[in-house]
Structures are given as C-alpha cells and as structure tokens.
Amino acid sequence: MPKLAAQFYRPQTIHEGKLGVLEPAQRLAQLRQQLQKASYAYYVLDAPIMEDSVYDQLYRELQALESQYPQWITPDSPTQRVGERPASQFTSVRHRISLYSLENAFNLPELRQWQERWQRLAPDVPDAEYVCELKIDGSAIALTYEAGVLVQGVTRGDGTTGEEITQNLRTIRSIPLRLALDSPPPIVEVRGEAFLPLAEFHRINQEREQAGEALFANPRNAAAGTLRQLDSRIVSQRRLQFFAYTLHLPGQEEQITSQWQALEYLKQAGFVVNPHCQLCPDLTVVTEYFEDWEGARQRLPYMTDGVVVKLNDYALQERLGFTQKFPRWAIALKYPAEEAPTVVKDIQVNVGRTGAVTPLAVMAPVQLAGTTVQRATLHNQDRITALDIRIGDTVIIRKAGEIIPEVVRVLSELRPTGTQPFQMPTHCPECNSLLVRPATEAVIRCINSSCPAILRGSLVHWASRDALDIRGLGEKVVVALLQHQLVRSLADLYRLTESQLSQLERFGEKSAQNLVQAIADSKQQPWEKVLYGLGIRHVGVVNARVLAEQFPSVAALGQATVAQLAGVYGIGDEIAQAVFDWFRSPANQALLQDLEALELTLARPQTSVENASPRSLTGKTFVLTGTLPTLKRQDAQTLIEQAGGKVTSSVSAKTDFVVVGENAGSKLAKAQALNLTLLSEEELLALLVSETT
C-alpha cells in the first residue's frame, strides 16, 4: 500500500494526541465524494477544480484503501467506471472504436514493471520496438473521413460515447477537410489531440481579463471550453491546433502494421504529427527520450506533462489487447508532479539567519518533482489566514522551482472535525524576545541580534559549500559551539583553537586539528564566496558573483550607491537596497574590519581584463543532468549562453562538458562511456569566472 495512503488511517494520533486520524470508512467516503465532484467538473462542466496530478494521487489512495478493504467498495466509486457521461448540449455519438484512457506510470521503475507485465503475456517476445510521443495537454478527438472527406468529429467523452462537434473542429486549420491522398480509403478514423498553444492561451486570458470575464485555469481547460462553444465563430477566433497520433482503417487493417507506419501515413494524408515523436529500439532509449524531454519540454510552445509509450508492432498490440480500462500495449509516463496532495501533521515556526520567523507545514511524506517532501513553507500569518490551514488538513503542495515547497490550497471537504485555526507566536521561540512586524513587510521578525537562531543560521550559511566551504562545520557542530559559548560571530570561528574544540563531544585531537585547518584554509576562498557567505538578504550565489565582478573589493561595494548597484544587470532595486542597507550597519562594518584583520579575501586578485573575451565559451557545447545544489537548470543554461556556450539536451561525442548534479540519469553513464569532461556546479561556476576574467 502506498506510504501516503497509510498516513490517513494508521491507528494512532498525530500532533501529540491533539487530533485523531480518520477511520478507513470515513476516508473512503470522503475520497469518493471529492473525486466524483472533480470528475463531474472536469468531464461534464469543463471547469476543472483539481490538477491531474492531484486527482491521480487521490485516486491511487482510494484504490489502495479499496484493495485493503474490499468489503467497502461501492458501485458508485470512481474506480468502478471508466468515465462520466458527456454533457447534453451536443448530440451524443457512440464511437465505432472505443477511446480507451491510458494507464499512468509515475516513474521509471513503474515503466519497467509495465514492460514486465506485457512480456509475461508474450514470453516469446523478449523485447520490442517502442514509439515515444509527447503527451500533449489538450482534448482527445476522434475524426471520421468518408471517401477522404471529413464527415464527423467527436470528443472522447467517456470513451464509449462522445459529443459531436464537427462544425467546431472544421475551424481548426491543422485538421484537413479532405485527405491529401490520391485514392483515399472508404473510411478512415483518426485520433488526435486538440490543444491551445501557450501564446494563444495568454492572449485569450488577457482579452477575458479586459472584458471582466473569468480567466481559464490552464490551456487544457481553455481548449475543452472552446471546443464546446455553440458558436463556431468563437472557436475559430481561438486558433486551436491539432496533432494526430493514430488511425484506424476498418476492413483494411493490413495496410498499416505499426504505429510508426501509422504516423507516416497521417503525415502523408495531410495531418500535423508532433515532430518530436521517436522510434526507440528498446526501453533504454525510451528512458533517454523521457529524461531528455524533462527539461526541454519547458521550451515548447504548448503544454505537455509526460510521454506516451506504445509498442510499435500492431500485431503485438492486438495480441496483448486491453484490460477493462486500458490498452496493455501503451502507457503514459508522467513527469514528476509539480503539485501533490498530502496531510498536515503539524505546523511549526522557524527563525532564520535574517530573523524572519517562517511558519512551516510538517506533512506526511509525498513525492513531488522527483523528491520526497515533508515540509512546505507557509510564508507568513497573512498566508495562513488566507489558506485557513489547520493541523489535520489535506492540502495541495507545489514545487515550482522553489527549494522549499509551498502549500497552494486546502481541500476543506476532507477536513476532520475539531480542528483549530493556527496563530503565529508573539515571542521568538529561540530567545523569547518580542517579535515585530515591520510596516513594509509581511513577515514577523526577531530583532534581537544576539538571538541564537540568527547566529546559528549565519554560521551554517558561512560554512556551506557555496560560501566558505568549511568541511566538518555542519549544523550539529555549530550548535555545540554556541552551547559552549565558543563563538559569538563569524570572525570568532578563526580564533578557535584545537584545545577548545577538544571540549566538544565526539571531538578528538585529530578531528579538532582537521576543523581548525579547514577554517584556516577557507581564508583562501575568493571574494565572491565571501560576499555570498555574508548572508546579505536577497543575494544568492549568482548575484554575489555578479556583484563581485562589478565591484572587485569590499571597499568598492561598500561605497556604491543604490543607483550604482541597481544599474548592474540582474540586480534590481530590491537587491540594491538590501546591499546598501547592509553596509550601513555599524555591526556589519565592524565584522568586515574583523575579517580583514584575520586576512580573509575581501577583493579580487589584480588581473588584466583588457584582452578578455566576453564570449569565451563560444563553440563549447554543454549538457545539464541531475539536480544542481543551488542553481536552477534555467539559470545554469542562461549563464552558459551569456558566456557564448550552447546547451543541448542530448549527450554525444560532440559534447564538450556535462554538468552533473544529484540523481543524474543515463546521460551521466553515456558521458562516462564517451570519456567526456564532467563538471560539478562549483566547477562550472569556476570555469565561467575564469573564462570571463
């Protein structure tokens, strides 16, 4: 049973007994009600109230519970039927051939399990060719051509019966009214996806906003709503597009024997086929295709949330057949969800190194964007009030490029009884000082400069890999140093002795010696790392490097005006003001004098830059794989391209550098096999700095 599901009905309480966990029967009833409501809104009203990834996870939880408690399965459960009936505004049409939905795989192990299942049904076929196609986020459509002429277009509906919307589909220019074939067959059925390009989606929403109309939630919702317009002129104005992905030739099946051949036939007949489909000889190449498009899909002019994988051979497809709901020969491999549901177990507050007091939701573990998430930021009291989030709530969390995920909304329909609204504390949980909320900010802060939490955060940040990179100085050691009152500032680190460190638990002579040496070695770290380590608000790794390049010493940066700072490309007013204010603080000025006396690097070395080339990476090709420690994939790509380099999605013998992060996939193995140069994020940044100075 999925770990997430178990959290709902485990026979124990959460949050120290303050709230009971729902019984299985209660949770089953709530899930059915919520999923039925979401399904009706999606299929009948065309007004989705829930993202696909959220629906999928709640549906899986329901399946798991019903598997555990089969005696409570009811005929009206969403798991007992394929889909909802179509809306009644259009004529209902029964499909000649059912439009089955696809089974979902949410990771590569599930893809391999799918392969193992079909291989058990065809043990004489050890492997087979696959066709990979991007899963377009639109509306499935069935088109019927008689003697080469379009005679009918129908929505998917429930897979058996759909809605006849031929007149609306005729307005889509990428759907041919007559097939481009000299001798078209008597009947051709074409299946494909009608979708709204992102540019059109934004244009339509701008027009709706100006007209005071409700905005579409996403391109899929907009496409579905457009197709069901009674006035085809409105459909024409919205410029939908169509990708064809399969066809049926009743009575002439022998003409097309594979999915790849079907795609070629569709192109010859005048349809647009997604140009990124690929014939793959085995599952390894399928995996590479999936991984390549995980990042590249963000640059497409339309939405896609996964890859459809099909067995290429039609004879093998026919042999494998269908389950009650899905074809056994195809699967939708979804990219990690950027939104997911989970349950709030507790709400805690954290005091950061800037004194900001941030509430955090502690949740049942859930997979999100490829990682296991248990904490999500709640930002501030205003956000808590707007969400009305409570301990025990089922919530939707999102990881849209942020390091710490955030709660998007609460599913109040699933809220247990007896919950209480959460209120932020009035005093600092670390030093008990009265918290304040500056007039221009939404956060509350501890303004006690001696607060242990502020100093602890500053020390941990200073020692981090992207700052001074002091090996052995982790959070546990920092806590111990503070408990023994051995440090009261960043500068105090450089006064530590081996005998002092030997007082700490688990510190022997050798470990104390190593840490003292590591602290001493950090004095050699360059100016941009010291600047990042100072922990100035809003100044990250990239901004610190940009500022260090423009202001080659601490003196130059300290003398810069707000206008001079804001004039640096990529800095802006907020960062400029934060840097300016930091240097005006007497405590910070004293710290810098202390660090200078301790001989830390507070300026860039004197080098000649007159002959430097601003595009010194021109002609170099990079591939990014895995999750980088601090840089987002797009930020890394931008830095490379600004230096003249090129970023591609596939590793080849022509690749110059492969930048490797955590959880790197098959690209790393391929790069190693080709003996290519591998770079860490730190090495990439060093290369960029060295190549531009």
Side-chain angles (χ1 to χ4, degrees):
M1 181 177 300
K3 191 173 182 180
L4 175 61
Q7 296 292 334
F8 292 120
Y9 55 84
R10 184 180 298 160
Q12 62 183 31
T13 58
I14 58 178
H15 192 54
E16 301 177 350
K18 296 180 181 178
L19 180 67
V21 180
L22 290 175
E23 292 296 324
Q26 294 175 292
R27 185 61 179 177
L28 279 163
Q30 286 187 338
L31 287 169
R32 287 180 188 132
Q33 182 181 15
Q34 183 72 3
L35 290 171
Q36 286 166 348
K37 185 177 179 181
S39 186
Y40 179 81
Y42 181 92
Y43 288 106
V44 179
L45 302 180
D46 283 332
I49 60 173
M50 184 181 294
E51 289 75 12
D52 286 352
S53 58
V54 175
Y55 185 98
D56 289 337
Q57 291 201 39
L58 292 178
Y59 187 94
R60 280 190 161 197
E61 184 195 345
L62 179 60
Q63 284 181 312
L65 282 169
E66 289 183 343
S67 176
Q68 185 81 0
Y69 302 99
Q71 68 273 24
W72 290 333
I73 297 177
T74 60
D76 65 341
S77 173
T79 64
Q80 302 304 299
R81 57 182 175 184
V82 175
E84 309 295 332
R85 64 183 182 182
S88 59
Q89 290 94 328
F90 295 91
T91 303
S92 294
V93 175
R94 188 172 184 84
H95 294 296
R96 292 183 178 89
I97 301 174
S98 296
L99 273 74
Y100 282 81
S101 58
L102 293 177
E103 182 182 3
N104 289 325
F106 293 93
N107 50 56
L108 293 173
E110 290 187 2
L111 176 68
R112 289 189 287 271
Q113 291 169 9
W114 167 74
Q115 178 180 253
E116 291 168 359
R117 288 197 298 274
W118 76 252
Q119 285 178 335
R120 284 196 294 269
L121 297 173
D124 57 320
V125 184
D127 208 343
E129 288 184 329
Y130 300 90
V131 174
C132 286
E133 304 166 49
L134 295 179
K135 187 176 181 297
I136 308 302
D137 201 9
S139 293
I141 298 297
L143 304 172
T144 301
Y145 288 79
E146 294 182 359
V149 177
L150 177 65
V151 296
Q152 190 177 74
V154 183
T155 65
R156 180 184 178 275
D158 62 2
T160 301
T161 303
E163 299 163 348
E164 198 270 321
I165 56 168
T166 310
Q167 191 59 36
N168 286 347
L169 294 175
R170 287 178 181 274
T171 68
I172 301 177
R173 298 300 180 91
S174 50
I175 294 179
L177 300 181
R178 179 184 291 273
L179 300 179
L181 299 171
D182 293 334
S183 301
I187 296 179
V188 178
E189 289 200 6
V190 175
R191 306 288 170 77
E193 199 84 2
F195 65 95
L196 195 64
L198 289 171
E200 285 301 305
F201 169 70
H202 295 310
R203 180 187 65 81
I204 293 168
N205 263 352
Q206 287 176 356
E207 292 178 354
R208 293 176 71 86
E209 184 175 20
Q210 292 172 0
E213 299 174 344
L215 303 184
F216 286 119
N218 50 58
R220 183 200 61 230
N221 181 24
T226 299
L227 288 171
R228 299 179 72 255
Q229 287 285 331
L230 296 177
D231 187 347
S232 60
R233 291 173 297 182
I234 296 177
V235 183
S236 179
Q237 293 168 1
R238 292 186 181 173
R239 305 168 193 168
L240 290 167
Q241 293 187 18
F242 180 82
F243 282 143
Y245 55 67
T246 193
L247 81 160
H248 298 278
L249 297 173
Q252 302 182 55
E253 288 80 4
E254 69 281 354
Q255 291 189 27
I256 305 294
T257 61
S258 70
Q259 172 64 14
W260 193 252
Q261 190 179 355
L263 294 175
E264 292 298 321
Y265 184 96
L266 287 166
K267 286 188 280 187
Q268 293 172 12
F271 289 95
V272 179
V273 171
N274 189 277
H276 304 299
C277 56
Q278 181 175 325
L279 181 62
C280 302
D282 52 43
L283 211 65
T284 299
V285 181
V286 171
T287 299
E288 292 174 354
Y289 178 94
F290 176 75
E291 292 176 339
D292 286 345
W293 279 104
E294 183 171 6
R297 67 192 176 102
Q298 305 297 338
R299 299 190 290 275
L300 291 170
Y302 44 80
M303 294 292 292
T304 176
D305 61 353
V307 172
V308 176
V309 184
K310 302 174 184 175
L311 285 165
N312 187 40
D313 185 3
Y314 273 6
L316 183 56
Q317 289 186 12
E318 185 176 0
R319 179 178 172 185
L320 295 174
F322 299 80
T323 68
Q324 185 178 357
K325 299 179 181 178
F326 312 119
R328 293 190 176 95
W329 42 266
I331 196 165
L333 179 57
K334 295 288 194 74
Y335 287 111
E338 295 185 356
E339 293 193 359
T342 187
V343 173
V344 178
K345 300 172 65 177
D346 196 5
I347 298 176
Q348 301 174 351
V349 294
N350 177 63
V351 184
R353 58 185 171 83
T354 65
V357 180
T358 305
L360 296 172
V362 181
M363 306 164 299
V366 63
Q367 284 293 313
L368 186 66
T371 60
T372 300
V373 174
Q374 292 182 269
R375 291 172 176 263
T377 179
L378 297 174
H379 299 291
N380 49 57
Q381 181 64 60
D382 291 347
R383 181 61 176 162
I384 289 176
T385 302
L387 288 168
D388 187 25
I389 187 171
R390 308 179 184 190
I391 297 169
D393 276 342
T394 299
V395 297
I396 307 304
I397 59 173
R398 174 172 60 201
K399 190 176 183 182
E402 300 295 330
I403 295 175
I404 301 177
E406 64 176 356
V407 174
V408 179
R409 64 181 180 279
V410 174
L411 299 181
S412 56
E413 298 90 339
L414 302 180
R415 173 175 288 164
T417 58
T419 60
Q420 297 295 323
F422 179 83
Q423 293 293 326
M424 291 286 286
T426 58
H427 289 73
C428 176
E430 296 276 352
C431 66
N432 205 37
S433 299
L434 184 67
L435 299 175
V436 300
R437 178 174 175 173
T440 59
E441 298 184 14
V443 299
I444 58 174
R445 293 185 180 276
C446 175
I447 57 174
N448 175 17
S449 59
S450 300
C451 177
I454 296 175
L455 181 56
R456 181 176 66 242
S458 299
L459 291 168
V460 171
H461 177 74
W462 179 264
S464 64
R465 188 173 70 174
D466 293 303
L468 278 292
D469 194 18
I470 303 176
R471 304 295 173 88
L473 187 59
E475 186 169 4
K476 290 183 179 180
V477 175
V478 168
V479 170
L481 291 173
L482 294 176
Q483 288 176 341
H484 287 76
Q485 299 183 351
L486 295 178
V487 293
R488 292 179 175 82
S489 73
L490 297 177
D492 283 346
L493 289 172
Y494 297 89
R495 302 186 180 98
L496 287 171
T497 64
E498 294 176 20
S499 60
Q500 288 177 316
L501 291 174
S502 298
Q503 304 172 22
L504 305 181
E505 186 178 357
R506 298 181 180 178
F507 257 85
E509 181 179 345
K510 184 64 176 177
S511 57
Q513 184 181 22
N514 288 341
L515 182 54
V516 168
Q517 185 61 49
I519 293 172
D521 291 343
S522 73
K523 292 182 179 182
Q524 306 306 315
Q525 294 288 5
W527 160 225
E528 56 262 29
K529 286 206 165 199
V530 175
L531 177 56
Y532 173 67
L534 291 173
I536 302 173
R537 288 183 67 192
H538 309 305
V539 176
V541 174
V542 176
N543 291 329
R545 184 172 61 254
V546 170
L547 288 169
E549 290 174 356
Q550 295 295 319
F551 303 96
S553 69
V554 67
L557 185 59
Q559 294 168 6
T561 65
V562 174
Q564 289 172 327
L565 292 165
V568 177
Y569 179 78
I571 297 303
D573 295 338
E574 185 177 34
I575 299 174
Q577 190 65 55
V579 173
F580 182 83
D581 291 344
W582 192 92
F583 276 90
R584 306 282 86 72
S585 165
N588 294 334
Q589 292 175 1
L591 172 62
L592 291 174
Q593 291 174 1
D594 219 357
L595 294 176
E596 185 175 16
L598 290 164
E599 299 182 342
L600 273 86
T601 306
L602 299 178
R604 299 186 69 183
Q606 296 295 320
T607 58
S608 175
V609 299
E610 286 78 11
N611 298 322
S613 168
R615 298 184 62 80
S616 53
L617 294 183
T618 300
K620 301 297 184 182
T621 301
F622 291 74
V623 171
L624 306 171
T625 181
T627 303
L628 299 178
T630 62
L631 290 177
K632 299 177 184 177
R633 183 79 64 92
Q634 187 59 49
D635 291 338
Q637 179 173 339
T638 299
L639 289 172
I640 292 168
E641 291 175 345
Q642 286 176 345
K646 176 183 177 182
V647 178
T648 63
S649 60
S650 299
V651 175
S652 71
K654 296 181 180 180
T655 303
D656 295 295
F657 301 100
V658 178
V659 183
V660 181
E662 293 184 4
N663 301 316
S666 60
K667 293 179 186 178
L668 173 58
K670 189 172 182 179
Q672 292 170 330
L674 293 172
N675 198 28
L676 301 178
T677 302
L678 306 180
L679 299 176
S680 65
E681 179 189 288
E682 184 177 3
E683 290 168 333
L684 170 65
L685 295 175
L687 177 66
L688 289 166
V689 171
S690 65
E691 292 290 351
T692 56
T693 58

